[in-house]
Amino acid sequence: MAVKKKEVGLDELIKNGVLRKGNDKYFEYERIPFNIEPLDKLIGGGLPTKRLTLLIGDSNTGKSLLAFKAVKSIQEKGGTAAWIDAEWSWDAEWAKENGVDIDEILVSQPESGEVAFDIIRELMRNKIDLVVLDSVAALVPTSLNEEALSHSPMANRARMVNDGISRLMSNLGEGTTLLFINQLREGIG
């Protein structure tokens, strides 16, 4: 015997918050300025809070510099930032030169992509204001760490990143802003 689904009306979806009007206060969020006036103006005042933003570009084009500016901005407001260093390239002196209070930023160098996403999820649960991931391209699945050097399937990496981001999205509304850095690639591999 088939169970008949109850149809839900549009008014009920709106009443329950499943659907909202475009001008609903739910969609209002603060911004984290980079304190680079033309850039902040171009993007509406800075990074949107409680959202995931991806900084993507060629190598050595200022992505980390912009992330440091966002960290500085959060710290100046009394907030807490974390830096997930999947590149294993954290440079405290360069961070300090760019205004980051290195005594207050939390830094982790995870051994795998899965561990990086677990750490980010915990930081979100603990309501850290800003989490920077440097970089998506450097995330290595545990399975790849255990494979022979010549074996490097892109599908494993893509699946791990997709799963990791999917698990983070449901926690975004709780307060943490995610800023992920990634590099442009010419081709696969």
Side-chain angles (χ1 to χ4, degrees):
M1 181 176 187
V3 177
K4 193 172 186 180
K5 264 188 166 179
K6 179 185 171 194
E7 289 193 29
V8 178
L10 185 60
D11 290 336
E12 191 174 334
L13 291 173
I14 292 171
K15 185 176 119 185
N16 293 332
V18 175
L19 291 174
R20 300 174 193 275
K21 302 281 185 175
N23 63 354
D24 194 295
K25 296 234 184 263
Y26 175 83
F27 297 114
E28 293 177 9
Y29 41 83
E30 294 178 28
R31 299 276 180 163
I32 302 169
F34 290 111
N35 293 313
I36 302 170
E37 191 174 329
L39 178 60
D40 288 337
K41 185 176 180 182
L42 180 69
I43 61 173
L47 292 176
T49 59
K50 302 180 184 180
R51 300 290 184 265
L52 167 63
T53 301
L54 181 64
L55 278 178
I56 188 166
D58 290 322
S59 184
N60 297 313
T61 56
K63 298 179 299 295
S64 295
L65 173 67
L66 289 175
F68 285 143
K69 297 291 186 188
V71 169
K72 176 184 177 191
S73 186
I74 280 291
Q75 289 179 331
E76 286 176 343
K77 291 180 180 180
T80 304
W83 193 280
I84 308 303
D85 182 25
E87 297 269 346
W88 285 65
S89 62
W90 173 254
D91 184 339
E93 287 305 311
W94 193 53
K96 189 174 180 179
E97 284 177 32
N98 286 288
V100 173
D101 182 345
I102 60 173
D103 294 330
E104 294 299 322
I105 189 168
L106 304 169
V107 179
S108 177
Q109 294 179 317
E111 71 262 8
S112 72
E114 292 90 349
V115 171
F117 283 116
D118 287 344
I119 292 167
I120 293 169
R121 196 166 34 251
E122 274 308 306
L123 291 167
M124 293 174 80
R125 286 182 184 138
N126 283 281
K127 309 241 186 280
I128 298 301
D129 298 293
L130 174 66
V131 177
V132 176
L133 171 62
D134 184 16
S135 73
V136 174
L139 295 173
V140 178
T142 303
S143 62
L144 226 60
N145 282 338
E146 297 165 355
E147 297 281 336
L149 218 51
S150 63
H151 188 263
S152 180
M154 292 300 292
N156 288 353
R157 185 181 302 247
R159 191 175 304 111
M160 184 241 353
V161 170
N162 185 46
D163 290 348
I165 290 175
S166 296
R167 290 183 181 139
L168 299 177
M169 296 309 286
S170 63
N171 295 330
L172 269 178
E174 295 177 23
T176 300
T177 302
L178 300 177
L179 178 57
F180 286 7
I181 298 172
N182 205 4
Q183 287 79 37
L184 287 174
R185 299 289 190 226
E186 290 291 321
I188 294 177

